[in-house]
Amino acid sequence: MAKKILLIEDEELIRNLLEKKLKMEGYEAFVVENGVKGLEKIKEIKPDLILLDIVMPQKGGFEVMEEMQKDDEMKSIPVIIISNSGQPVELDRAKELGAKDWLIKTEFDPQEVLEKIKRQI
Amino acid sequence: MSEEYINELLDSLPLSFCFVNPLGVIVNANNPLQNLTGYLTTEMVGKNIDVLFFEKEEIEIFKKEISESQEKIEKEMTLLAKDKRKILIRVIASGQRDKKGNFNGYFLIFSEIKGKEEFQKELEKEVKQKTKALKESSLALLNILDDVEQSRLLAEREKNKTLAVIENFPEGLLFFNKENKLTSVNFKIQEIFGIKKKKLILGKKTPDLLNKYPSFTPLIKFLGEDEVKTTHRKELELKKDLILEVSVIPVVSKQEKLGTLVILRNITREKIVERLKSEFVSIAAHQLRTPLSSIKWVLKMILDGDLGSLTQEQRIFLEKTYKGNEKMIRLINDLLNVTKIEEGRIVYRLQEEDIIKIIKEVMDVFKEQSIIQNKNLKFEFIKPEEEKIIVQADREKLFLAFQNLIDNAFHYTPIGGNIKVVVKHLKDEGMVLTSIQDSGIGIPEEQQKRVFTRFFRATNTIKENVEGTGLGLFIAKNIIESHDGKIWFESKENQGSSFYFSLPVKKII
């Protein structure tokens, strides 16, 4: 059975691109545009991996992870952060909240995202 | 001897003389006296002797002395001639007494003091000259005194002017003497520290100021509690919304240290503007990153053929667009790094890293690019004997610094050129030296001083149409120096450049 990847990202273009890329790679891809919908979707589909943006309207990436930490089931799902910045403080916070990896969008491309996913699942 | 004979004798003597009776009446006078006085003997005989003298009072005393004295009396007097001329003479008086001792009268012998008169004149002349000279000297002295007074007034005026300048100087000035006592301050200092009267703080030593005046505490701690230390243009946040730039200069006169001058410049406004500018750049850069990363991803997917196959022409255009986008990303990253450096926001996380490995990784990327871009550069990496050289470094930052250096070598070296990277362990110094030598266009000598400043671009790079932001070396320098390292270069226009940086070695494996 295909692995389920959930992408929580507010940038439409990135969402569309990654969704396409993931599907082409044979994953079952789900996309939502903010943290609130993201948490609902996690509960609903129980993804194998989450690609999570940090700065988003309504609920940002850190808040999503904080809530995931409170839930034993959600806590175990690997999270890869995709963000436009990568300040050391942000990286520290992400590590504390259990993120597995971090990538800065300008430094990577979709192909490299796939490689990072493969390292986790 | 007959009387006639005597008279003849007397007249032929060169001395002038006369005989005076006890009543002071001239009884006889000889020819020479006629010549001396201008009176005829007949005019003189019968007259009182007073007639012949200028000093009337003195002659009375003289007459009395003669009548009482047994001996000759000699005196200098002034003879009054008939034409009223005054002649200085020596008079010798000789009283005449009979056998019983009765006073019968006296001879007066006159001798002109010719030399004396001339001497007197000479003397007078000399005195006059001396007096004149003295007058001139005293005038000169007065002039000098006047000048001195004027100089003093001028000096005082200058001093007042200087004091006024100091008092009204827009920057705060404090002067500490050799004993670290505060001896002078200007109005700006009172304003900055909220001191109503200068005398409250003058004469106080640094520890006193520290303890008694809380507004001074941050400054004194900054300057040094016991001794004011020399600094140049360092920032001090005295309190909220008051940032000062502090310079401390030793004041030396004729090789003797007089004290220390502390200059405080309020740079709060500049800092606010700088902060706003940085914030603006930071926000703008972040805002730009989002669409740039979207563009990057879209182009990459199209180029990778994820969205269908491309014609050769489409591919070429898209590749160029992709490169342009990468350049923009790079520029924005540089701008963000610079604003972080300016704001002191760069956080370094130092860990043990192998510098050889970091350098090799960066070089591999550029070797590949050289092939892709058909630049055919010859890359040479001369490794040290040691397998690993461990330094305390923030991997990403050091990576970025070296990347900037190689990037310059890559861009400024023409097709087919050489780039040589050498890593060397300087055992004696405990440092590792990395050099990046290229056979590129070099940096014009007159511009070499500005190489590490922001937005510096050598004129020849613009001529040769080589792209760059002018931020890479500024960033590299800041990163290397934050690792306690040093960075420098040698360059000759049209021959190439060599950049060097050295870092302290933690250990060798």
Side-chain angles (χ1 to χ4, degrees), chain B residues 112-174:
Chain B
E112 197 179 345
I113 312 173
K114 272 191 186 156
K116 181 123 185 189
E117 197 179 16
E118 274 162 28
F119 172 75
Q120 189 76 17
K121 275 185 189 158
E122 280 297 312
L123 198 68
E124 273 172 25
K125 205 172 143 194
E126 205 174 320
V127 168
K128 269 184 197 163
Q129 276 177 350
K130 284 268 155 72
T131 314
K132 200 179 158 204
L134 198 65
K135 269 187 189 165
E136 280 171 4
S137 300
S138 55
L139 278 175
L141 194 66
L142 279 175
N143 284 342
I144 291 169
L145 285 173
D146 263 5
D147 285 354
V148 168
E149 176 63 8
Q150 274 189 353
S151 306
R152 194 187 63 80
L153 283 173
L154 206 68
E156 198 168 319
R157 217 176 295 151
E158 283 304 315
K159 189 182 155 199
N160 287 341
K161 230 187 268 175
T162 311
L163 285 175
V165 169
I166 291 172
E167 182 64 11
N168 297 302
F169 207 62
E171 293 174 10
L173 302 173
L174 302 126

Side-chain angles (χ1 to χ4, degrees), chain A residues 21, chain B residues 295-323:
Chain A
K21 194 79 183 172
Chain B
I295 293 166
K296 176 187 168 106
W297 285 31
V298 171
L299 292 171
K300 192 72 170 76
M301 277 185 74
I302 297 172
L303 282 168
D304 285 350
D306 291 343
L307 303 172
S309 58
L310 295 170
T311 67
Q312 186 60 21
E313 201 181 20
Q314 283 170 335
R315 176 168 294 283
I316 291 166
F317 281 128
L318 281 175
E319 270 172 359
K320 283 193 175 155
T321 316
Y322 183 81
K323 271 189 214 159

Side-chain angles (χ1 to χ4, degrees), chain A residues 11 13-14 17-18 20-21 24 84-85 87-89 92 103 105-111 113, chain B residues 286 289-290 293-298 300-301 304 306-307 322 326 329 333 340 345 347 349 397:
Chain A
E11 187 71 21
L13 196 51
I14 300 280
L17 285 170
L18 269 182
K20 189 169 176 70
K21 194 79 183 172
M24 281 169 73
N84 265 318
S85 69
Q87 298 292 320
V89 273
D92 282 352
L103 60 87
K105 284 177 225 173
T106 50
E107 314 279 309
F108 293 88
D109 60 42
Q111 192 58 43
V113 177
Chain B
H286 276 296
R289 270 178 143 191
T290 307
S293 53
S294 298
I295 293 166
K296 176 187 168 106
W297 285 31
V298 171
K300 192 72 170 76
M301 277 185 74
D304 285 350
D306 291 343
L307 303 172
Y322 183 81
E326 285 292 286
I329 290 171
N333 286 342
K340 276 185 215 157
R345 278 203 290 125
V347 183
R349 313 209 151 193
K397 309 289 189 318

